[in-house]
Amino acid sequence: YASEADAFGPGEVELLRKLADNLSFGIKALRDRTAFKESEVRYHSLFQQATDGILSVDAQGRIRECNPSICAMLGYECEELLAKNLQELISPEDLAAKPLMIAQAAEGEPLFVERKLCRKDGAVVITEASVTKLESGLLLEIARDVTERKQREEEIRARNAELAALYGLSTHMRAAKRTAELLPIVLVEIHRLLGADGSRVTLLLPDRVLCTIALGEGLWKKSTGLTIPVEQCFCRPVVQTGKPYASEDYGAEARALPPGSKEEEIGPVAFVPLKSEEELLGVLGIARHRGADSRPFTPAEVRLLAAIGEMVGNVLRRLKLYEEAERRLRHTQALRSIDMAITGSLDLRVTFKVILDEITAQLGVDAAAILRLDPYTKTLKYEAWRGFRGKNLGHIALGLGEGFAGRAALERSSLYLPELGEAEQDAAQEQLLAGEGFAAYYAVPLIAKGHVQGVLEIFCRKPAVPDGEWLEFLETLAGQAAVAIDNAELFHDLERANVELIRAYDATIEGWAYALDLKDEETEGHSRRVTEMTLRIAREMGLKDEELVHVRRGALLHDIGKMGVPDAILLKPGKLTDEEWEIMRRHPVYAYQMLSRIGYLRPALDIPYCHHEKWDGTGYPRGLKGEEIPLPARIFAVVDVFDALTSDRPYRPAWPKEKALAYLRQQAGRHFDPRVVEAFLSLTEQNLLFEGDGTP
Ligand code: C2E
Ligand code: SIN
Ligand code: SIN
Ligand code: FE
Ligand code: FE
């Protein structure tokens, strides 16, 4: 300062301070303004370049700003958006659930929300948005398009649900042991999983021209069991292309509809192939009621159905293989039981019954019959039949060439008439089929060793389409029937020959016995008499028929050994010398030597060999004692001595009957088995033993 007077006065200082204040305010303001400008530029470029869509709206939802991303996201021009209210962009159901959220948004605190926005073209964009209330009261909405992610998530969820459904179904299917058990399980699950009102499974028959509706449910319940040409079946498009087929209004489509279904009630449908290893087994179909509220099947539902179809196809194949194996086993068992009937029974009627039982059971037919060819009259006669409606076929005879059976026999070849209605019939055949309602017919000639033995006939009341295995089994069964007839004939021939042979043998034995009687100069009929008496006592004492055959032969031949005794001794009128006795006592041993060489007489040896043994052991040739002596011989000894005593002999006259009976009583327990003597006397008292006595 130069002088006090130069100094600034307080007023000036005050002014300067105020100026300085103003200046610093100005500088600050200038600085702030620069900063604001920068942030505004930065904000603007962010706003413009952000990949997220950004909108700012006022408190009423009017759009004030929009960035290019949101324009692209929604398909609008910027100007168009600026003319809109956010409410118009939010999808209606979303808006109802989550309004603009202006009220909720607190200043500076962003809210996160998922919104479905509508594009200009109508498509829906799913966004995840943050909503922030700005100082200015505007609402800033930053939206990110998550539509694709959401769709992927949705798809994954749907796939998971499908997998769970398939897994559940496969668990259910595992319980099925038969095709017939499997299908109801599958259809019930399909109705549940896909919200269907009807469903059906069609299986292709081996010819692939016909198909059978194996099971129908709901709208298609009535068509279960129908067999129709694929041409007329709903499954046709799938059979032709091998691909799924869906329609939104099936009932309205012009086509030959399968009978029995209420097609006009059917709206949306979906059909998928039942496939296993590329082989089309059939078609699986589902349907919904026709009507305004009825939803078409979505591609996802058709896809799920196709996956089910594939799974069911594989299970069907597994069951089919199992059922086939089981059927083969049953066939083998059937053949075995027929074999056993053939070998076990000589009665053809029994064998035929077994064959017909097995045929109707194993081939699943309604009726069957076996005709036999009479080789002399050349006519076929019904020998056995089953499944006819109370018809007696027993009196029907067909000439060769007459009727279907006659034709099969004459031509020696099988006759297959799966559509009987179209076959020409002669009068005999018409009479046979009248009133039976048969739809299919098969005849197989029964040929054994080159000869026609008869014909096997098969009848079905439903049209049947047999497969190769069925026909093969039919031919096998016919082969067995032919073998059965041949066997029975062979056996009857053999049996006849055998009976004749046995008769010849027995006549020979009787001849020998007669010759012996004559030679021994015993009264005629000694052998026959002692044989009859012996058999009566033997029967009384409990010997069985098969033993009596041998007792009879043994008794007839009891003294055949005397053929080895010289006539000089045999016919000697007086007492025998010791030497002569010695020879005479050999006759049982001679009998043994003669007869033991003849097989069929060996079991008859007891009497010829042992009839001179005595109960007390003093007999000959071996001195057997008590029950060592075969029973037939013990019985015979009593009868023989009684008959010898009551007959004239070269060495003494006949004794009276009473004396002989007394002798038997006296010798009981010595010469004779007391039980035999008792039986003998008892039968004598009842007058049952001697000729002319009443035979029991
Ligand atoms: P045969 O004449 O058929 O007699 C069978 C058996 O009946 C005899 O067996 C004997 O047990 C009994 N029998 C027969 N006649 C008499 C009899 O007068 N008295 C008694 N007590 N028993 C009698 P046996 O004794 O072993 O004789 C076997 C066979 O030897 C006889 O069969 C007969 O062919 C012959 N024979 C036995 N004694 C004589 C005899 O004195 N003279 C001759 N020529 N033959 C005799
Ligand atoms: C027989 O061989 O004739 C009968 C069998 C017996 O009882 O000893
Ligand atoms: C035979 O072999 O012919 C006879 C059979 C029998 O002992 O009855
Ligand atoms: Fe004798
Ligand atoms: Fe005798």
Side-chain angles (χ1 to χ4, degrees), residues 562 569-570 572 574-576 581 584 612 620 640-641 644-645 649 651-652 655 663 671:
K562 282 185 181 170
I569 302 173
L570 196 62
K572 184 176 174 181
K575 287 250 173 228
L576 301 178
W581 247 124
M584 177 58 83
H612 289 298
Y620 62 91
D640 188 41
V641 169
L645 289 175
R649 282 288 186 267
Y651 54 91
R652 56 136 184 81
W655 290 11
Y663 182 76
H671 187 164

Side-chain angles (χ1 to χ4, degrees), residues 520 522 526 530 558-559 562 611 636 640 643-644 649:
D520 210 5
E522 297 185 28
H526 165 71
V530 292
H558 68 278
D559 268 344
K562 282 185 181 170
H611 69 286
F636 181 81
D640 188 41
D643 195 78
R649 282 288 186 267

Side-chain angles (χ1 to χ4, degrees), residues 498 501-502 505 549-550 553 600 603:
N498 203 33
L501 204 61
I502 289 172
Y505 280 147
V549 173
H550 304 298
R553 291 177 188 156
Y600 91 104

